[in-house]
Amino acid sequence: MTTSLAEENYLKIIYRLCEGTKEDISTNSIAELTNNKAASVTDMLQKLAEKGWVTYQKYQGVRLTKIGQNIALSIIRKHRLWEVFLVEKLGYNWDEVHEIAEQLEHIESETLINKLDSFLDFPKIDPHGDPIPSQEGEIPELGYLHLSEVKLNETCTLMGVAKDSAVFLQLLTKLNLSLGARLEVVEINTFDRSVSLKIAEQEPIFISHEVAKNILVKV
Amino acid sequence: MTTSLAEENYLKIIYRLCEGTKEDISTNSIAELTNNKAASVTDMLQKLAEKGWVTYQKYQGVRLTKIGQNIALSIIRKHRLWEVFLVEKLGYNWDEVHEIAEQLEHIESETLINKLDSFLDFPKIDPHGDPIPSQEGEIPELGYLHLSEVKLNETCTLMGVAKDSAVFLQLLTKLNLSLGARLEVVEINTFDRSVSLKIAEQEPIFISHEVAKNILVKV
DNA sequence: ATTAATTTTTAGCCTAGACTAAAAATTAAT
DNA sequence: ATTAATTTTTAGTCTAGGCTAAAAATTAAT
């Protein structure tokens, strides 16, 4: 069966919402991320359930079926591979590629994405450190921590980000925080959980808990 | 102003039909190439005229305005650059890229296409020998002849094709006719205008007038 | 110069995917 | 355990872009 652009966007977003939790996903949370109204979401959920891509009961939320998951993973795979292409081959910065990849991820051609994968030398992660699902839908488990979970005086390496909005990425760039940076947690403020970090030999920098939560590291 | 996928397809096809002739373009000819019914075409022509991309009078056919031409050229530019990418970088054959490029041509990002252009080293022609419009909408004039116009015993070089359907391209490939081949016209059959060609040291091959018409050469 | 054939347009209908407003179900609060 | 607040669903509407069938204009043929 074939998927429309709208359906693909819904599946992708439902996948993202499922990732965090075992609970079923609410109509409202989907409405928020798709920028649609709840009524429109209900409509679409019924169609997706028809097609067997989600399980859905009125008022009880929604989950992806195995098939739905695979569709979502193939879109995520395409998105992330195109992002690697844009950064590695065309010279974009990591904060510039999301919007374009949102379009490219809907190009349908199995051979295309596999040739692209090979052309890029089978990358395992995208420019934000997010893992790239395999053709079979396997996601390499990377076991990263959120920077906000790292203990005082520990040192870690910046491996990725949990959010790829342009403003967030630009902030990191301004703070000189890029993939691979070595970070030492030199202070954790108990009041607001803000964090002070030492990057290599530089003066320590301060970041909010909100920022720390969205940085992924390996200890 | 922004263009929908449907509008872009119409503009592209109207451009192609305008190319050959000074006449205004008929509703039916557009219907044929877009695979829509004439009534749907009429609808769309009225919308395109509203937006100032075509001039259109009822029953009198249609032409692109300057703006419409520029939109069409930018889509053609994208289509052809992506085709170069698919063949040069991803290793596709020339008969496999049209469908995928039909999708990629609608990705909207001015920077993307210019970075791609630079990544590909500013190619002047696509894998079928068609010229790639510049960012400003200039088409390098190549001055090719149709092979059907070449005189007996003349020798020429295969520079492009006037049609890029997969079956046609596969036929050429099977006949060992590829871009750059040196061809000598050794016989022209006056009855059906079929042509006998010598390629390098090979035995002569026969091709129909229909095929010869769609091969572009430089004498 | 009519009539016939063809082409184009109009009118009305359909589907996907959005929306708003109102109704129904669920959850939270007294 | 009711009432209130919130969330979700239904019902009905809208737009883009298709369609068919019938009407109108153009072109071709007697």
Side-chain angles (χ1 to χ4, degrees):
Chain A
M1 202 173 323
T2 173
T3 48
S4 74
L5 197 141
E7 288 166 343
E8 292 190 0
N9 281 330
Y10 274 97
L11 291 174
K12 193 181 52 166
I13 276 164
I14 297 169
Y15 181 91
R16 259 174 56 194
L17 288 166
C18 281
E19 259 187 323
T21 167
K22 289 237 88 108
E23 310 283 306
D24 284 12
I25 300 312
S26 77
T27 302
N28 259 357
S29 62
I30 298 169
E32 212 171 309
L33 290 195
T34 55
N35 290 314
N36 289 327
K37 296 300 156 97
S40 313
V41 174
T42 300
D43 258 23
M44 182 56 91
L45 292 182
Q46 289 168 348
K47 286 176 198 163
L48 296 178
E50 272 297 304
K51 302 204 177 190
W53 298 335
V54 302
T55 57
Y56 164 70
Q57 287 135 279
K58 279 190 197 181
Y59 296 101
Q60 304 307 310
V62 76
R63 292 200 72 69
L64 290 177
T65 62
K66 193 80 192 100
I67 298 173
Q69 260 175 59
N70 284 338
I71 299 173
L73 281 166
S74 95
I75 300 161
I76 291 167
R77 171 173 160 81
K78 289 191 271 181
H79 183 103
R80 293 184 180 165
L81 282 172
W82 279 117
E83 283 194 339
V84 174
F85 170 73
L86 294 172
V87 168
E88 295 291 313
K89 301 295 183 179
L90 298 194
Y92 275 103
N93 300 320
W94 71 344
D95 59 307
E96 300 173 318
V97 294
H98 185 75
E99 301 303 316
I100 299 175
E102 287 283 306
Q103 297 178 63
L104 286 164
E105 72 189 4
H106 300 292
I107 303 292
E108 62 166 329
S109 164
E110 195 68 17
T111 63
L112 172 61
I113 208 64
N114 291 331
K115 280 176 189 277
L116 183 64
D117 194 20
S118 151
F119 178 59
L120 299 172
D121 264 321
F122 308 102
K124 292 283 156 286
I125 55 168
D126 78 9
H128 313 108
D130 295 316
I132 297 173
S134 73
Q135 206 182 339
E136 293 73 33
E138 317 277 340
I139 302 182
E141 199 36 81
L142 303 171
Y144 297 153
L145 291 179
H146 297 262
L147 179 53
S148 50
E149 301 165 285
V150 175
K151 296 199 197 69
L152 191 60
N153 293 322
E154 277 194 324
T155 296
C156 54
T157 306
L158 199 167
M159 302 305 289
V161 292
K163 161 181 290 192
D164 47 9
S165 78
V167 274
F168 176 61
L169 296 172
Q170 283 156 13
L171 172 62
L172 296 195
T173 304
K174 206 164 65 192
L175 292 172
N176 205 19
L177 289 166
S178 57
L179 251 49
R182 291 291 290 168
L183 312 177
E184 189 188 342
V185 176
V186 294
E187 190 184 346
I188 301 177
N189 199 321
T190 47
F191 169 61
D192 62 357
R193 300 206 276 166
S194 63
V195 175
S196 190
L197 289 179
K198 233 177 119 155
I199 310 172
E201 301 309 309
Q202 296 170 44
E203 285 302 296
I205 59 170
F206 290 88
I207 63 175
S208 68
H209 177 64
E210 187 58 28
V211 169
K213 250 184 9 194
N214 284 297
I215 293 177
L216 301 174
V217 298
K218 191 166 70 184
V219 184
Chain B
M1 202 174 323
T2 173
T3 49
S4 73
L5 197 140
E7 289 166 344
E8 292 190 358
N9 280 332
Y10 273 97
L11 291 174
K12 192 180 54 167
I13 277 164
I14 297 169
Y15 181 91
R16 259 175 55 194
L17 289 167
C18 282
E19 260 187 323
T21 167
K22 290 237 88 105
E23 312 281 307
D24 282 12
I25 300 311
S26 77
T27 301
N28 259 355
S29 61
I30 298 170
E32 211 172 310
L33 290 194
T34 54
N35 291 313
N36 290 327
K37 295 301 155 99
S40 312
V41 174
T42 300
D43 259 22
M44 182 57 90
L45 292 182
Q46 289 169 347
K47 286 177 199 165
L48 295 178
E50 272 296 305
K51 302 206 178 189
W53 299 333
V54 301
T55 57
Y56 164 70
Q57 287 136 278
K58 278 189 197 182
Y59 297 101
Q60 304 307 309
V62 77
R63 291 200 73 70
L64 290 178
T65 62
K66 193 79 192 102
I67 297 174
Q69 260 176 59
N70 284 338
I71 299 173
L73 281 166
S74 95
I75 300 161
I76 291 167
R77 170 172 160 82
K78 288 192 271 181
H79 183 103
R80 293 183 180 166
L81 282 171
W82 279 116
E83 283 194 340
V84 174
F85 170 74
L86 294 173
V87 168
E88 295 291 313
K89 301 295 184 180
L90 298 194
Y92 275 104
N93 299 320
W94 71 345
D95 59 307
E96 300 173 319
V97 295
H98 185 75
E99 302 303 317
I100 300 175
E102 288 283 307
Q103 297 179 63
L104 286 165
E105 72 189 3
H106 300 292
I107 304 292
E108 62 166 330
S109 165
E110 195 69 16
T111 63
L112 172 61
I113 209 63
N114 291 332
K115 280 177 190 277
L116 183 65
D117 193 19
S118 150
F119 178 60
L120 298 172
D121 265 323
F122 308 101
K124 292 283 157 287
I125 56 167
D126 78 9
H128 312 108
D130 295 316
I132 297 173
S134 74
Q135 208 181 339
E136 293 75 32
E138 317 278 340
I139 302 182
E141 200 36 81
L142 303 171
Y144 297 154
L145 291 179
H146 297 262
L147 179 53
S148 51
E149 301 166 286
V150 175
K151 296 199 197 67
L152 192 60
N153 294 322
E154 276 194 323
T155 296
C156 54
T157 307
L158 200 167
M159 302 305 289
V161 292
K163 161 180 289 192
D164 47 10
S165 77
V167 275
F168 176 61
L169 297 172
Q170 283 156 13
L171 172 62
L172 295 195
T173 304
K174 205 165 65 191
L175 293 171
N176 205 20
L177 288 166
S178 57
L179 250 51
R182 292 291 290 167
L183 311 176
E184 189 187 342
V185 175
V186 295
E187 191 184 343
I188 300 177
N189 200 322
T190 47
F191 169 61
D192 61 358
R193 302 207 274 167
S194 63
V195 175
S196 191
L197 289 179
K198 233 175 120 147
I199 312 173
E201 301 309 308
Q202 295 170 45
E203 286 303 295
I205 59 168
F206 291 88
I207 63 175
S208 68
H209 177 65
E210 186 59 27
V211 169
K213 250 182 11 193
N214 284 298
I215 292 177
L216 301 175
V217 299
K218 191 166 70 183
V219 184

